[in-house]
Structure formats: structure tokens, C-alpha cells
Amino acid sequence: AYGVRAYTLLGIADSIRGMLTFLTAPMLGALSDVVGRKWLFVACILGTAMPSCVLAFTHPELDAYLFAIAIGGALASTFPLAFATISDHVPRARRSSAFGIATGLGLGGAYTVGPACGATINHWYGAQTVFNLCLWITAASTLIAIFALKGGPPPNSEAAANLSTDPVERRRELMRRANPVGAWRLVRGNHALWVLSCIVFFYYLALWGFIANSLMYARRQFKLTPPAAAALLGCFGITSLLGQSVGLKLAQRFLSEPQITRRCFALSFIALCIFGVAWRPWLLYVAMTMLGISVGGFACVSSMASQVVPRAQTGEAQGVITSLQALTEGLGPLATAAALPWFEGTPLPGAPWLIAAISVGVSLALCLRLESALRRTREAIGHPGAEAEMEPVTPLGISKPDE
């Protein structure tokens, strides 16, 4: 309905969403370290599902959807709270694979089942039925979170234990943690977290730009039908699901987390290059398959982020990582959406994907510094009492198994 302008409109909506998440993710993570994860997690489920659910109450139209995408960013921190919850209960040696299973089932499973089911239901019953089903799935997810998760502060949370009983001091501490900018002090004094944050920024700058615009690009350049577009997303979903669950668990037997991350990002680089020069539709499926496998690198990055901060700041660290990821969720789609019309109709319409590959290449180069950054941070935090808070990390970033 909007023609070429659809790229820009979607990019603007994603930019607003990303900026809101950039501001709120560190705050929600820091607050969850003292007040608990449960109810913040429930609120984020509702915020994440808002774009699809709002269409159940309105006539399906792009305007309402774009508005919901933008506003829902304020409560789009489901994954950092989920990762922080996993860190509370899963031993360090199994944390990467646990993160991979969570994102594999959550993101990969959704991309595997969702597009195919949505296309089928839309064909037989219409779009409104799809949106109504999204509403019921959101309600079910909310109820599961309410009854399955425990309330209260995280177990062994020193942040919650040290929270003053004085109402004035307690309110002051909560306000400090609710400061969207306050959590960035954690990055300033932590070299490993700084490197991990830069890796996330450049990687997701390319990935979000790709995810937001790739299907529209494929449909405009290769005339993919809705079933073919759903199959393209299915390739991404099934490989993401298998790669982050089974593949990541197998890889950890032979490789350290930095080594796995480098291999994953190398696959992303190759996938974006293939997408950029593709001249036949089947090449898009090859690229999507490789990209799905590569997403497991973020599970390793999140695991390493949980290892380089005291236990009492796990949620805060995950919030910072997700905040940068959310910032790129706005910048990436907007930059890609602005570039695609310039190259449409030229001999190389996929040039923006080659630019995105360069951004992934920067992340890949930063991954070469991971071992030294992890070692340097471990040595810097080696003050009295730090080892009781920090979980020991080997120089290669491999978690030592519990005795």
C-alpha cells in the first residue's frame, strides 16, 4: 500500500521501538536484581506481544501495527530478564547452552512454526483470525509466567539483601537503579563488558536491519509469494532452533565460547554477502540457513556477560547488552530502509546487505580480543571478596565446572 515508502515507515517504527528499549532495558534489568524478575517479566511479555495483539481489536492496517511496534519498545526486555533468571539457577558450565535453548525455542521456534501457521490460517480463515490467535497465545504465555515463575528477589541476591530497610534509603536505591543511564557505569569500569557491548552493537546493527527488511526485499526483487516468504523465514527458524539447542551444546565440547562466537559471526558475514549478490531465489534460502545457525553466537555473548560481573549485577549486565541490541534495532532497520531504495533498480540492488556484512566484520574482528578481555577483567576484579561474587572464568572464557 505504501510502495517504496514502506521501507522508511517500518524503519522509523523500529527506530522508536529501539530507542525506548535502549532507555528501559538497563533499568528493568537493574530493578529485577533487587525486586525480582517475575512481574517485570510478565509486563515485558505483554509489551513484546503488543504489535500483534493490538490488531485483534482494530481493523488490520499497517498504521496501527507500526504504532504498536514503536510504543511496545518500552517493555520489550523479555530476553534479558529471561537470561538473568537462567543465570540465577543454571551452573556456569551449562549456561551458554541454556541461553541457546531459550533463544532457540523462543526465537527459532517462533520463526519455524509461526510463519507457516500464520500463512495457513490466513489462507483459510483470514487475517483477523491470525491476530485473535496471537491474543490468546499472549494470554496463555502470561498465565504460564505468573504461575511458573517464583516471585521475590533472585536467590542469593546480595543487592536485595543489602537494600536498606529505611524507606528513604530504599527509595533512593530503587530510583538509582531505575535511572536508564545509571547502568552504563557498569560498562565504563569493565573492559570485558565493554568489548562484548561493542560486539553486540556492530553485529545487531546489521542483523536487525536485515531482519526488518529482508522479506520485503525478497518479495520486491524476487516476487516471492506469501508461502515462499514463510518458507524463507522457516529456514531461519529451524536452523536457529537446532543450532542454538543441539548445535551449541555439541560445539561446547570442543570449543570455548569466544571460539564459538567467532565461527558464528563468520557465518553471518558470509550469509549477508550471499544475500547481497543473490541472483536466484534459492540463494536466499542458503543465506537464511547460514544466518539461522549463526545466531547462536549471541547466546555465548550473553553467557560471557553474566560471567564478568558480580552475581548481584547479572540482571543489570544483561540489561546493558540488550539495551545496545535495542538501539541497533532502531538504527539498523532505519539505515537499511533508507539505503534500499537508492539501490533498487541498479545492477546491484543487494548492496545494503554487503554494507551490513562489513558491520558484522567489525564484530568478528573484535571477537579476536575476547580471550584477553576476559582475562584482564578477571584480574582487575581480583580484589578481596570479589571471587565470592564473581564466578571463576578461565583465560579462554570457558566456565569451570562446579566441583
Side-chain angles (χ1 to χ4, degrees), residues 77-113:
S77 301
T78 309
F79 274 113
L81 295 179
F83 287 170
T85 302
I86 291 171
S87 298
D88 293 337
H89 302 282
V90 176
R92 186 183 334 101
R94 300 199 302 269
R95 201 169 289 168
S96 287
S97 57
F99 287 170
I101 291 172
T103 52
L105 292 176
L107 185 63
Y111 272 105
T112 302
V113 178

Short mmCIF file of all heavy atoms in Angstrom, two decimals, residues 77-113:
data_model
loop_
_atom_site.label_atom_id
_atom_site.label_comp_id
_atom_site.label_asym_id
_atom_site.label_seq_id
_atom_site.Cartn_x
_atom_site.Cartn_y
_atom_site.Cartn_z
N SER A 77 11.84 -6.08 26.90
CA SER A 77 13.07 -6.62 27.50
C SER A 77 12.86 -8.03 28.02
O SER A 77 13.32 -8.40 29.10
CB SER A 77 13.53 -5.70 28.64
OG SER A 77 13.78 -4.40 28.17
N THR A 78 12.14 -8.83 27.26
CA THR A 78 11.85 -10.20 27.70
C THR A 78 13.11 -11.03 27.84
O THR A 78 13.32 -11.72 28.85
CB THR A 78 10.89 -10.88 26.70
OG1 THR A 78 9.77 -10.04 26.48
CG2 THR A 78 10.43 -12.22 27.23
N PHE A 79 13.99 -10.98 26.83
CA PHE A 79 15.17 -11.84 26.84
C PHE A 79 16.17 -11.51 27.93
O PHE A 79 16.71 -12.42 28.56
CB PHE A 79 15.83 -11.83 25.46
CG PHE A 79 15.23 -12.83 24.51
CD1 PHE A 79 14.54 -12.41 23.39
CD2 PHE A 79 15.35 -14.19 24.74
CE1 PHE A 79 13.98 -13.33 22.52
CE2 PHE A 79 14.80 -15.12 23.88
CZ PHE A 79 14.11 -14.69 22.76
N PRO A 80 16.50 -10.24 28.23
CA PRO A 80 17.45 -10.01 29.32
C PRO A 80 16.95 -10.51 30.66
O PRO A 80 17.72 -11.05 31.47
CB PRO A 80 17.63 -8.49 29.34
CG PRO A 80 16.47 -7.95 28.61
CD PRO A 80 16.14 -8.98 27.58
N LEU A 81 15.65 -10.38 30.92
CA LEU A 81 15.11 -10.89 32.18
C LEU A 81 15.10 -12.42 32.18
O LEU A 81 15.34 -13.04 33.22
CB LEU A 81 13.69 -10.36 32.39
CG LEU A 81 13.60 -8.84 32.59
CD1 LEU A 81 12.14 -8.41 32.77
CD2 LEU A 81 14.43 -8.39 33.79
N ALA A 82 14.84 -13.01 31.02
CA ALA A 82 14.89 -14.47 30.93
C ALA A 82 16.32 -14.97 31.14
O ALA A 82 16.56 -15.95 31.87
CB ALA A 82 14.36 -14.93 29.58
N PHE A 83 17.31 -14.29 30.52
CA PHE A 83 18.70 -14.69 30.70
C PHE A 83 19.15 -14.50 32.14
O PHE A 83 19.92 -15.31 32.67
CB PHE A 83 19.59 -13.87 29.76
CG PHE A 83 19.48 -14.28 28.31
CD1 PHE A 83 20.06 -13.50 27.32
CD2 PHE A 83 18.82 -15.42 27.94
CE1 PHE A 83 19.98 -13.85 25.99
CE2 PHE A 83 18.72 -15.79 26.61
CZ PHE A 83 19.30 -15.00 25.63
N ALA A 84 18.72 -13.42 32.77
CA ALA A 84 19.08 -13.20 34.17
C ALA A 84 18.48 -14.28 35.06
O ALA A 84 19.13 -14.76 36.00
CB ALA A 84 18.59 -11.82 34.62
N THR A 85 17.26 -14.70 34.76
CA THR A 85 16.62 -15.78 35.52
C THR A 85 17.38 -17.08 35.34
O THR A 85 17.59 -17.84 36.30
CB THR A 85 15.16 -15.96 35.08
OG1 THR A 85 14.46 -14.72 35.25
CG2 THR A 85 14.46 -17.04 35.88
N ILE A 86 17.81 -17.36 34.11
CA ILE A 86 18.60 -18.56 33.86
C ILE A 86 19.91 -18.51 34.63
O ILE A 86 20.35 -19.50 35.23
CB ILE A 86 18.86 -18.71 32.34
CG1 ILE A 86 17.56 -19.04 31.62
CG2 ILE A 86 19.91 -19.79 32.07
CD1 ILE A 86 17.66 -19.00 30.11
N SER A 87 20.55 -17.33 34.65
CA SER A 87 21.82 -17.18 35.38
C SER A 87 21.64 -17.42 36.87
O SER A 87 22.57 -17.87 37.55
CB SER A 87 22.39 -15.78 35.14
OG SER A 87 22.67 -15.56 33.79
N ASP A 88 20.45 -17.12 37.40
CA ASP A 88 20.18 -17.34 38.82
C ASP A 88 20.19 -18.82 39.19
O ASP A 88 20.50 -19.17 40.32
CB ASP A 88 18.81 -16.75 39.20
CG ASP A 88 18.79 -15.24 39.09
OD1 ASP A 88 19.87 -14.62 39.16
OD2 ASP A 88 17.68 -14.68 38.94
N HIS A 89 19.83 -19.68 38.25
CA HIS A 89 19.57 -21.07 38.59
C HIS A 89 20.43 -22.09 37.86
O HIS A 89 20.47 -23.25 38.27
CB HIS A 89 18.08 -21.40 38.31
CG HIS A 89 17.12 -20.52 39.06
ND1 HIS A 89 16.83 -20.71 40.40
CD2 HIS A 89 16.40 -19.44 38.67
CE1 HIS A 89 15.96 -19.79 40.80
NE2 HIS A 89 15.68 -19.02 39.77
N VAL A 90 21.09 -21.69 36.77
CA VAL A 90 21.85 -22.65 35.96
C VAL A 90 23.34 -22.50 36.23
O VAL A 90 23.86 -21.38 36.19
CB VAL A 90 21.56 -22.44 34.46
CG1 VAL A 90 22.41 -23.38 33.61
CG2 VAL A 90 20.08 -22.67 34.17
N PRO A 91 24.05 -23.59 36.51
CA PRO A 91 25.50 -23.50 36.73
C PRO A 91 26.20 -22.94 35.50
O PRO A 91 25.75 -23.08 34.37
CB PRO A 91 25.92 -24.96 36.97
CG PRO A 91 24.67 -25.63 37.43
CD PRO A 91 23.55 -24.95 36.72
N ARG A 92 27.35 -22.32 35.73
CA ARG A 92 28.08 -21.62 34.69
C ARG A 92 28.45 -22.53 33.53
O ARG A 92 28.41 -22.11 32.37
CB ARG A 92 29.33 -21.02 35.31
CG ARG A 92 30.14 -20.13 34.44
CD ARG A 92 31.39 -19.66 35.17
NE ARG A 92 31.22 -19.66 36.60
CZ ARG A 92 31.69 -20.61 37.40
NH1 ARG A 92 32.33 -21.64 36.89
NH2 ARG A 92 31.51 -20.55 38.70
N ALA A 93 28.79 -23.77 33.80
CA ALA A 93 29.24 -24.67 32.75
C ALA A 93 28.14 -24.98 31.73
O ALA A 93 28.43 -25.33 30.59
CB ALA A 93 29.75 -25.98 33.36
N ARG A 94 26.89 -24.85 32.14
CA ARG A 94 25.78 -25.15 31.23
C ARG A 94 25.03 -23.90 30.79
O ARG A 94 23.98 -23.99 30.16
CB ARG A 94 24.81 -26.11 31.91
CG ARG A 94 25.41 -27.44 32.31
CD ARG A 94 24.35 -28.49 32.55
NE ARG A 94 23.40 -28.08 33.58
CZ ARG A 94 23.54 -28.36 34.88
NH1 ARG A 94 24.61 -29.02 35.28
NH2 ARG A 94 22.63 -28.00 35.76
N ARG A 95 25.56 -22.73 31.09
CA ARG A 95 24.79 -21.50 30.88
C ARG A 95 24.65 -21.14 29.41
O ARG A 95 23.58 -20.73 28.96
CB ARG A 95 25.45 -20.36 31.65
CG ARG A 95 24.52 -19.19 31.93
CD ARG A 95 25.14 -18.23 32.91
NE ARG A 95 25.21 -18.80 34.25
CZ ARG A 95 25.91 -18.27 35.24
NH1 ARG A 95 26.63 -17.17 35.04
NH2 ARG A 95 25.92 -18.83 36.43
N SER A 96 25.70 -21.28 28.61
CA SER A 96 25.61 -20.94 27.19
C SER A 96 24.56 -21.77 26.48
O SER A 96 23.75 -21.26 25.70
CB SER A 96 26.96 -21.12 26.50
OG SER A 96 27.85 -20.11 26.86
N SER A 97 24.59 -23.08 26.75
CA SER A 97 23.61 -23.95 26.09
C SER A 97 22.20 -23.65 26.59
O SER A 97 21.24 -23.74 25.82
CB SER A 97 23.96 -25.42 26.33
OG SER A 97 24.03 -25.72 27.71
N ALA A 98 22.08 -23.26 27.88
CA ALA A 98 20.76 -22.89 28.39
C ALA A 98 20.25 -21.62 27.71
O ALA A 98 19.07 -21.52 27.35
CB ALA A 98 20.82 -22.69 29.90
N PHE A 99 21.14 -20.64 27.53
CA PHE A 99 20.76 -19.43 26.79
C PHE A 99 20.38 -19.78 25.36
O PHE A 99 19.44 -19.23 24.78
CB PHE A 99 21.91 -18.42 26.77
CG PHE A 99 22.13 -17.73 28.09
CD1 PHE A 99 23.25 -16.95 28.29
CD2 PHE A 99 21.23 -17.84 29.12
CE1 PHE A 99 23.47 -16.29 29.49
CE2 PHE A 99 21.44 -17.19 30.33
CZ PHE A 99 22.56 -16.42 30.52
N GLY A 100 21.15 -20.69 24.76
CA GLY A 100 20.87 -21.09 23.38
C GLY A 100 19.52 -21.78 23.24
O GLY A 100 18.78 -21.53 22.29
N ILE A 101 19.18 -22.63 24.22
CA ILE A 101 17.88 -23.31 24.18
C ILE A 101 16.76 -22.28 24.31
O ILE A 101 15.73 -22.35 23.62
CB ILE A 101 17.80 -24.37 25.28
CG1 ILE A 101 18.75 -25.54 24.96
CG2 ILE A 101 16.36 -24.88 25.43
CD1 ILE A 101 18.88 -26.53 26.08
N ALA A 102 16.96 -21.30 25.21
CA ALA A 102 15.93 -20.28 25.41
C ALA A 102 15.68 -19.47 24.15
O ALA A 102 14.54 -19.27 23.72
CB ALA A 102 16.33 -19.35 26.56
N THR A 103 16.76 -19.00 23.51
CA THR A 103 16.58 -18.23 22.28
C THR A 103 16.21 -19.12 21.11
O THR A 103 15.47 -18.69 20.21
CB THR A 103 17.88 -17.45 21.94
OG1 THR A 103 18.99 -18.36 21.93
CG2 THR A 103 18.13 -16.36 22.96
N GLY A 104 16.70 -20.37 21.12
CA GLY A 104 16.35 -21.29 20.04
C GLY A 104 14.87 -21.62 20.03
O GLY A 104 14.20 -21.54 19.00
N LEU A 105 14.35 -21.98 21.22
CA LEU A 105 12.92 -22.28 21.30
C LEU A 105 12.08 -21.02 21.14
O LEU A 105 11.01 -21.03 20.52
CB LEU A 105 12.61 -22.95 22.64
CG LEU A 105 13.18 -24.35 22.84
CD1 LEU A 105 12.87 -24.86 24.23
CD2 LEU A 105 12.63 -25.32 21.79
N GLY A 106 12.56 -19.91 21.74
CA GLY A 106 11.77 -18.68 21.70
C GLY A 106 11.79 -18.02 20.34
O GLY A 106 10.73 -17.71 19.77
N LEU A 107 13.00 -17.81 19.78
CA LEU A 107 13.12 -17.11 18.50
C LEU A 107 13.06 -18.10 17.34
O LEU A 107 12.27 -17.93 16.41
CB LEU A 107 14.43 -16.33 18.47
CG LEU A 107 14.68 -15.45 17.24
CD1 LEU A 107 13.61 -14.36 17.15
CD2 LEU A 107 16.07 -14.83 17.30
N GLY A 108 13.89 -19.14 17.41
CA GLY A 108 13.91 -20.11 16.32
C GLY A 108 12.60 -20.86 16.18
O GLY A 108 12.08 -21.04 15.08
N GLY A 109 12.02 -21.28 17.33
CA GLY A 109 10.74 -21.97 17.27
C GLY A 109 9.64 -21.10 16.71
O GLY A 109 8.78 -21.54 15.94
N ALA A 110 9.66 -19.82 17.10
CA ALA A 110 8.64 -18.89 16.60
C ALA A 110 8.76 -18.71 15.09
O ALA A 110 7.75 -18.71 14.37
CB ALA A 110 8.78 -17.54 17.30
N TYR A 111 10.00 -18.56 14.59
CA TYR A 111 10.18 -18.39 13.15
C TYR A 111 9.89 -19.68 12.39
O TYR A 111 9.57 -19.64 11.20
CB TYR A 111 11.61 -17.94 12.86
CG TYR A 111 11.80 -16.45 12.90
CD1 TYR A 111 12.45 -15.83 13.98
CD2 TYR A 111 11.33 -15.64 11.87
CE1 TYR A 111 12.61 -14.45 14.02
CE2 TYR A 111 11.48 -14.27 11.91
CZ TYR A 111 12.13 -13.69 12.98
OH TYR A 111 12.28 -12.33 13.02
N THR A 112 10.02 -20.83 13.05
CA THR A 112 9.75 -22.10 12.39
C THR A 112 8.25 -22.35 12.26
O THR A 112 7.73 -22.68 11.19
CB THR A 112 10.40 -23.26 13.16
OG1 THR A 112 11.80 -23.04 13.26
CG2 THR A 112 10.16 -24.59 12.47
N VAL A 113 7.53 -22.19 13.37
CA VAL A 113 6.11 -22.54 13.41
C VAL A 113 5.22 -21.36 13.01
O VAL A 113 4.24 -21.52 12.28
CB VAL A 113 5.72 -23.03 14.82
CG1 VAL A 113 4.24 -23.36 14.89
CG2 VAL A 113 6.56 -24.25 15.20
#
